Amino acid sequence: NQQDMPICVPIASQFLHATGIAFAMQYREQQRAVVVTGGDGSTSQGDFYEAINLAGAWNLPVVFCIYNNEWAISVPRSEQTACKTIAQKAIAAGIEGLQVDGNDVIAMRQATRIALDKARSGGGPTLIEGLSYRLCNHTTADDATRYQPEEEVKAAWKKEPVARLAYYLEQQGAWSKEQEAALHEKVSTKIDTAVKEYLDKKAPKAIA
């Protein structure tokens, strides 16, 4: 059975939570594993290094999935670390490190599945670096046009994973533009209905 933890606001603290949960699973002799995610910027934090070190030392059933989108808010990866790849940071912890095309949904799923199978069977942790690119502002308070080169963003849009997967499925005869349009219509209608229902609600009366 799958269980999810709430999103962690402090950068990188989730990695230590993951190793703690993984240790509990190991201690209880459960054939389970933990998946924890973070951005490239999170791997510059001390929590990340402590977590992968502990995971390696105790051979914990945990998979670290790092989405390398090249930007930690406005700081490019080249200014965050001297490492050539995020995946090679696994070497210091004595664990396996993989670099995968993060825009390839199928490749990421396969790499994660293999890592999870390994972790569940006692094979230890894995660090997966998914190469991608951030195509939007970091937050609603951010303006990425101040620091992201326009041409770089345009080039990255051509590798956008959702469109890429849709194209692949179309080529395989498993999806079509007609199905895509129908899905958009269905989802838009559902969202519009929910929004209208919320906006039509009368304001609650104040409790005296």
Side-chain angles (χ1 to χ4, degrees):
N1 66 334
Q2 180 178 315
Q3 294 176 295
D4 297 321
M5 295 290 287
I7 292 174
C8 226
V9 175
I11 305 298
S13 59
Q14 70 269 26
F15 297 123
L16 288 169
H17 300 161
T19 54
I21 295 169
F23 173 74
M25 292 175 176
Q26 184 188 71
Y27 183 77
R28 294 170 180 172
E29 298 183 348
Q30 298 171 324
Q31 286 192 316
R32 302 181 66 188
V34 180
V35 176
V36 59
T37 64
D40 47 285
S42 68
T43 69
S44 299
Q45 296 287 110
D47 304 56
F48 169 77
Y49 289 101
E50 292 170 7
I52 62 172
N53 182 67
L54 184 62
W58 289 358
N59 198 46
L60 298 178
V62 58
V63 179
F64 300 92
C65 284
I66 306 299
Y67 42 94
N68 177 5
N69 62 29
E70 300 294 338
W71 293 92
I73 309 182
S74 60
V75 181
R77 194 185 67 80
S78 59
E79 293 183 23
Q80 297 174 48
T81 178
C83 285
K84 296 296 182 183
T85 70
I86 299 296
Q88 73 188 75
K89 293 188 176 188
I91 297 172
I95 67 177
E96 182 180 6
L98 302 173
Q99 189 181 70
V100 183
D101 182 349
N103 288 337
D104 186 336
V105 175
I106 297 172
M108 280 299 298
R109 183 187 183 282
Q110 178 72 353
T112 305
R113 184 189 65 78
I114 292 172
L116 279 171
D117 287 345
K118 185 186 78 169
R120 292 188 186 109
S121 62
T126 304
L127 169 61
I128 301 173
E129 174 189 8
L131 295 172
S132 188
Y133 191 87
R134 203 182 79 220
L135 297 170
C136 58
N137 296 331
H138 180 73
T139 65
T140 54
D142 180 39
D143 178 10
T145 61
R146 293 175 303 142
Y147 52 84
Q148 283 184 312
E150 185 179 353
E151 291 306 312
E152 195 173 88
V153 176
K154 285 181 179 179
W157 268 109
K158 295 177 181 178
K159 302 174 184 178
E160 194 275 317
V162 176
R164 180 175 168 179
L165 178 62
Y167 178 74
Y168 173 76
L169 292 174
E170 286 171 19
Q171 294 298 104
Q172 298 300 311
W175 193 243
S176 67
K177 293 195 183 328
E178 290 73 25
Q179 287 174 294
E180 184 85 12
L183 178 63
H184 275 281
E185 179 65 27
K186 181 180 178 181
V187 171
S188 295
T189 300
K190 191 172 183 178
I191 292 173
D192 290 343
T193 300
V195 171
K196 185 177 185 306
E197 182 181 332
Y198 171 78
L199 293 175
D200 287 347
K201 283 186 177 181
K202 294 181 180 179
K205 294 181 180 179
I207 299 174

